[in-house]
Amino acid sequence: MSLSECKIIDLPKILEKRGNLTFIEGTRHLPFEIKRVYYLYDVPGGATRGGHAHKQLEQFIIAAMGSFDVVLDDGFEKKRFHLNRSYYGLYIPRMIWRELDNFSSGSVSLALVSQYYDEDDYIRDYDVFVNNIRQQQPRTSKGR
Ligand code: TYD
């Protein structure tokens, strides 16, 4: 997959004096069926999470509290996204390398994903990822 398929998706917001509410309705808001939810919390300052790609899994990441950065890499180029609001998130298709860093104190990263946990779906070695991508998508004269 290419970085052009990674995108910020805005979510509905119900703004009230008594507090705000955001909701996500499966495939109405996301390009996949949600099968699993997990969250990162109590992340120490300076820590990096992620550091892998997925063969099939698609993902949507929200900064439910605080902020952090997500660096995406399609094997050719990288892009850094700063997430800091709970009413939008970042969609990551399959076969994109991701790293999460720059976590603010008390931040919570909420992940909605398309598969049950399966270690066999992970690629945890960056060189393996890049080789895999370049075999599937050889560079053209345009550099891709
Ligand atoms: P990992 O996906 O590597 O964390 P991150 O990418 O956020 O840094 O997962 C860390 C550990 O937790 C690893 O041993 C696998 C385990 N794990 C589960 O058992 N179930 C899950 O749903 C997830 C996301 C991870």
Side-chain angles (χ1 to χ4, degrees), residues 29-138:
H29 295 128
L30 303 181
F32 60 86
E33 202 87 59
I34 300 163
K35 257 194 168 166
R36 179 165 54 104
V37 175
Y38 68 90
Y39 35 97
L40 299 172
Y41 53 97
D42 292 346
V43 178
T48 299
R49 301 291 314 213
H52 55 75
H54 287 279
K55 296 172 194 164
Q56 297 300 332
L57 179 140
E58 297 170 70
Q59 183 162 25
F60 184 65
I61 302 182
I62 304 162
M65 277 286 285
S67 65
F68 51 86
D69 290 358
V70 185
V71 182
L72 300 183
D73 178 343
D74 63 6
F76 296 94
E77 51 184 335
K78 293 185 188 195
K79 188 168 178 185
R80 179 176 288 270
F81 293 84
H82 183 62
L83 301 185
N84 62 354
R85 293 284 184 270
S86 47
Y87 52 78
Y88 69 83
L90 177 62
Y91 168 67
I92 310 175
R94 59 181 287 275
M95 288 304 282
I96 297 286
W97 189 268
R98 85 287 313 273
E99 284 177 11
L100 284 71
D101 62 16
N102 198 22
F103 286 88
S104 69
S105 171
S107 58
V108 177
S109 159
L110 177 63
L112 314 180
V113 304
S114 65
Q115 309 274 327
Y116 295 128
Y117 172 71
D118 176 8
E119 187 60 35
D120 288 344
D121 189 62
Y122 282 74
I123 301 176
R124 293 191 183 272
D125 182 320
Y126 185 73
D127 293 338
V128 170
F129 165 72
V130 169
N131 287 337
N132 204 310
I133 288 285
R134 297 200 176 178
Q135 275 167 13
Q136 288 173 22
Q137 306 169 38

